[in-house]
Amino acid sequence: MTTFESHPIRRPLARLAAGTAVTLLVSAVPTGAQAATGSAPQQGYCSSAHDPRLAARLSSDIGSALAGRKDTVAFAVTDDTTGVSCAFHADEHFDSASVVKVTIMGAVLRRAEDEHRYLTDWEDGNLQQMITASDNDAATALWQSLGMPRLQSFLELAGMKDTQLGADGYWGLTQITAADEMKALDVFTGNSNVITPAAKAYGLGLMSQVEADQRWGTPFGAPASVTVHVKNGWLPRATHGWRVHSLGIFTGPGKDYRMAVLTQDNPDESDGIDTIQAIAAVVHRDLNGGVGGVAPRAPRAEAPETSDGSAPFGPVAG
């Protein structure tokens, strides 16, 4: 048994693909609405003191990707290499669906560190199932084992001040924002105040091993030279149609960027995936010097149109 720094993690690193233990620098994410969603979103989503031309080009390309789309969209992008950051409706709240599982994972890892111990076999097994297969029973078991006070403490530690935990065990109804989801991703990248490098590598490793049929969304258009870490959510409800979300961390030689894209008011799952992938394609293309990415109007995604099961379709008892 090996101890990593002062707070150990049990048995994770042997399963990790090479290159997952990458430490990134934290960059502030602009927040707030910049335009209304709809057929003609304004441009000016991105900024960079280091490379304003790249920021302007990415803003224009995202605007083209979103033109004509009717769903409600929020996103945040940060590239630590170029200094580009983008935001759109980044403070608007959405039902989390299954992307909250990244937050649950972070809280479990932090608990082990607080208690100066390894992950138990039970924690390790449930984390693997929850992230790589999006298993809801595993998420519920971990959520219940943590309890609301510890989950809230994790949010505060991570700086996720606008996230509201789902009540009565409905973790899929946690209220999230794109800006806070970027902070959740920062826990596994540049934020040094929450978990150790070994824990970051463990989390990134699981996110890099998500099952093939769940690797849509923000990974779309990523060049082969970039390692993809992803977690998605897809949830239909009686109001606001389908919520379809995707979180992505992308690492590689000279490449450290991440994005969070949240959508709702989609008539079906495929429509939400299309919106996310239109944004992702131009982000990957522009941040990789034209390598990777596809035309914004890619062929329509064929999704199974089955809920991720993270929350009921109708109202829940208050």
Side-chain angles (χ1 to χ4, degrees):
M1 188 176 292
T2 303
T3 298
F4 298 96
E5 298 190 0
S6 60
H7 303 305
I9 299 291
R10 189 174 194 171
R11 298 188 304 128
L13 296 183
R15 291 192 297 271
L16 301 188
T20 56
V22 178
T23 301
L24 310 184
L25 300 175
V26 176
S27 177
V29 179
T31 59
Q34 295 181 348
T37 54
S39 60
Q42 298 174 6
Q43 297 175 6
Y45 307 110
C46 306
S47 63
S48 172
H50 176 69
D51 197 340
R53 289 186 179 180
L54 175 60
R57 180 166 67 251
L58 183 54
S59 289
S60 177
D61 289 345
I62 290 174
S64 296
L66 287 176
R69 298 186 182 275
K70 302 299 184 182
D71 47 355
T72 300
V73 183
F75 61 80
V77 179
T78 297
D79 179 10
D80 295 320
T81 301
T82 65
V84 169
S85 58
C86 312
F88 178 62
H89 285 182
D91 289 333
E92 296 296 319
H93 282 95
F94 294 73
D95 293 335
S96 67
S98 283
V99 295
V100 74
K101 292 170 181 174
V102 173
T103 297
I104 297 172
M105 176 169 64
V108 171
L109 293 171
R110 177 67 194 196
R111 175 174 61 185
E113 295 185 4
D114 285 342
E115 297 175 356
H116 301 275
R117 62 171 175 80
Y118 295 97
L119 288 177
T120 66
D121 287 338
W122 180 85
E123 288 171 328
D124 182 36
N126 277 293
L127 285 169
Q128 289 187 61
Q129 285 298 110
M130 179 181 71
I131 298 298
T132 66
S134 203
D135 185 271
N136 290 336
D137 290 340
T140 298
L142 291 169
W143 177 275
Q144 292 175 346
S145 78
L146 288 162
M148 298 296 271
R150 185 175 288 278
L151 283 159
Q152 186 61 45
S153 177
F154 175 81
L155 295 180
E156 292 169 3
L157 190 62
M160 299 168 66
K161 61 182 177 63
D162 292 325
T163 298
Q164 302 162 12
L165 295 169
D168 300 320
Y170 292 112
W171 46 263
L173 296 183
T174 295
Q175 297 300 292
I176 62 171
T177 68
D180 268 13
E181 289 307 288
M182 290 295 282
K183 293 175 183 177
L185 297 181
D186 286 345
V187 167
F188 297 93
T189 56
N191 188 336
S192 62
N193 298 320
V194 185
I195 58 177
T196 62
K200 293 175 191 288
Y202 174 79
L204 288 173
L206 293 186
M207 291 176 71
S208 73
Q209 297 167 22
V210 166
E211 293 179 353
D213 63 349
Q214 296 179 24
R215 295 176 70 84
W216 45 262
T218 53
F220 188 72
S225 60
V226 171
T227 301
V228 169
H229 316 83
V230 64
K231 185 70 196 81
N232 294 328
W234 55 104
L235 175 68
R237 302 202 69 214
T239 59
H240 295 294
W242 279 82
R243 295 101 169 108
V244 185
H245 312 320
S246 186
L247 309 180
I249 298 171
F250 307 93
T251 62
K255 297 297 175 185
D256 298 322
Y257 61 99
R258 50 207 176 274
M259 66 180 104
V261 187
L262 313 179
T263 75
Q264 65 182 18
D265 298 307
N266 297 289
D268 52 40
E269 182 184 357
S270 295
D271 192 71
I273 293 175
D274 287 348
T275 294
I276 296 169
Q277 294 189 164
I279 296 170
V282 297
V283 170
H284 289 301
R285 185 183 64 204
D286 289 356
L287 295 185
N288 289 282
V291 178
V294 296
R297 296 299 178 185
R300 179 174 169 81
E302 293 299 330
E305 307 299 340
T306 300
S307 171
D308 67 11
S310 58
F313 182 79
V316 298

